[in-house]
Amino acid sequence: MKIVFFGTPQFAVPTLEKLLNHSEFDVLAVVTQPDKRRERGNKLTPTPVKAIATAHNLPVWQPERVKKDTETLTKLKQLDADVFVVVAYGQILSAKILNMPKLACINVHGSILPKYRGAAPIQWCLYNGERETGITTMLMDVGMDTGAMLQIVTTPIGLLDNAQDLADRLAEIGGDLLVETLLKLEGKEIQPIPQDNLAATYAPLIQKQDYALDWSKSAIQLHNQIRGFYPNCTATFRNNLLKITASAPLGSVSDCDLPPELQELVHKLPDLSNTSDRPGVVVSIAKGIGAIVQTGEGLLLLREIQLAGKRPQSGWDFVNGTRLTVGEVFGTGS
């Protein structure tokens, strides 16, 4: 089966690697986003997909706008591929491109469709506190993740999973599912299933304001925001902006989902459930772990924090480094 692969971030790499390592598939070329300059050093950096493709001596095309790039369109047509595989490419494909392959244009999407169509399905499913997600392979059409579904694999979401953890797991699942889908599609063993558009939800691009932590929210809402939009959620402390990169909600219905060491911490804590402190106030410090902050509803343990210009550090190192004390206040991010 002759394949052209469209993809850009690390999430797409396992799928490309599985195709390259399978005897039934011949990856003819790779289409990925243009190289970008890194903040430090301002050097052009290849996309993760390009790095893999280059290592395998594959042709790599990086048009600014693929559907408007006549040179790339001509090359794609000339390849006469059986299938185009698309995994987090980052550009919308035109009907002209979708109609080029002989068999199909197939997308690997990081949600259980029709839920979380769009650019950031992993992040928004965590933000919304979902307990399960998955990978859907589908036939592409001109809509935004609206094509008929081919196969779905689900996976549970742990309370402390963040967007990176989940993306890594789903990327591996996606690679395996894509291989299975291609083989079954070629053997005519799959019947595409139309999506229920009435059940669709959307996962738009994340905006800067989505990162700001508002301590009047509940502990579980803040925790889901922190892990969903990892590692970028912001708060203020002593008038300085910082990032909260890992947390845990305490004293709530989610306690049973915490790892044993944090369940033990909850049992050892003094009764803080009836505290009258305003949201954002440090009400206790868990020795060896970090600060415990009052929220609009419940308590939030700050497990990892990143100061501006520094690497992330454990909540306990932050406590010691800043000599944080009970009664100090974390403010809303920006």
Side-chain angles (χ1 to χ4, degrees):
M1 185 183 291
K2 296 187 295 182
I3 296 171
V4 176
F5 187 87
F6 293 70
T8 298
Q10 182 61 37
F11 181 78
V13 167
T15 302
L16 176 57
E17 290 179 326
K18 290 175 192 294
L19 291 174
L20 291 169
N21 293 327
H22 200 289
S23 61
E24 293 294 319
F25 307 126
D26 180 14
V27 180
L28 304 176
V30 165
V31 185
T32 189
Q33 293 275 53
D35 296 348
K36 291 188 177 182
R37 295 191 182 278
R38 299 182 65 176
E39 292 181 6
R40 295 183 179 180
N42 202 33
K43 292 183 179 180
L44 278 174
T45 303
T47 71
V49 163
K50 180 182 179 180
I52 297 298
T54 302
H56 285 81
N57 298 313
L58 293 172
V60 178
W61 306 326
Q62 298 178 273
E64 290 284 348
R65 296 186 65 194
V66 65
K67 61 184 180 180
K68 297 288 186 180
D69 193 294
T70 55
E71 182 180 354
T72 301
L73 292 175
T74 300
K75 289 179 180 178
L76 286 171
K77 186 68 175 177
Q78 290 173 342
L79 286 177
D80 197 29
D82 298 306
V83 173
F84 287 176
V85 170
V86 181
V87 187
Y89 171 48
Q91 294 189 38
I92 295 174
L93 304 187
S94 64
K96 183 177 182 179
I97 296 173
L98 296 176
N99 291 327
M100 284 184 184
K102 296 176 184 177
L103 186 58
C105 196
I106 298 174
N107 179 241
V108 178
H109 186 72
S111 79
I112 303 171
L113 289 171
K115 295 186 70 174
Y116 300 107
R117 295 172 176 173
I122 295 171
Q123 292 87 344
W124 286 105
C125 84
L126 286 167
Y127 178 86
N128 289 328
E130 301 283 2
R131 305 295 293 270
E132 181 183 66
T133 189
I135 289 286
T136 304
T137 52
M138 69 174 188
L139 299 176
M140 295 181 68
D141 60 20
V142 293
M144 175 67 76
D145 302 322
T146 55
M149 301 177 293
L150 297 171
Q151 289 188 284
I152 296 174
V153 169
T154 64
T155 185
I157 300 174
L159 180 64
L160 299 187
D161 284 341
N162 65 31
Q164 187 62 61
D165 300 328
L166 196 52
D168 290 345
R169 189 159 80 245
L170 288 174
E172 293 295 330
I173 294 171
D176 290 332
L177 186 62
L178 187 275
V179 168
E180 180 183 329
T181 297
L182 289 176
L183 294 175
K184 287 187 175 181
L185 196 63
E186 186 178 38
K188 298 182 179 179
E189 301 173 41
I190 295 179
Q191 182 63 44
I193 302 171
Q195 293 187 43
D196 179 1
N197 291 326
L198 295 178
T201 62
Y202 291 88
L205 285 169
I206 301 163
Q207 306 297 322
K208 182 179 179 181
Q209 60 266 26
D210 295 321
Y211 297 133
L213 296 173
D214 177 356
W215 299 97
S216 67
K217 293 182 178 180
S218 70
I220 190 64
Q221 286 176 319
L222 288 163
H223 172 68
N224 288 338
Q225 182 180 358
I226 290 165
R227 67 194 186 122
F229 301 151
Y230 173 88
N232 295 311
C233 286
T234 59
T236 56
F237 181 72
R238 298 176 184 168
N239 296 318
N240 294 311
L241 194 68
L242 48 73
K243 293 180 179 179
I244 309 295
T245 50
S247 60
L250 304 178
S252 66
V253 293
S254 59
D255 282 352
C256 60
D257 295 321
L258 292 170
E261 64 272 18
L262 293 185
Q263 289 189 32
E264 185 177 351
L265 168 65
V266 172
H267 294 315
K268 289 182 178 179
L269 282 175
D271 184 11
L272 300 172
S273 59
N274 295 319
T275 178
S276 59
D277 286 300
R278 69 184 188 277
V281 173
V282 177
V283 297
S284 184
I285 295 173
K287 187 174 181 180
I289 305 179
I292 298 172
V293 179
Q294 177 68 50
T295 71
E297 181 183 341
L299 304 173
L300 191 68
L301 172 65
L302 307 186
R303 298 168 48 234
E304 187 178 83
I305 295 175
Q306 183 175 7
L307 297 167
K310 303 292 184 180
R311 294 180 180 275
Q313 59 182 314
S314 72
W316 183 241
D317 285 343
F318 176 79
V319 167
N320 287 330
T322 61
R323 297 186 179 182
L324 180 148
T325 59
V326 171
E328 291 199 77
V329 181
F330 283 88
T332 300
S334 63

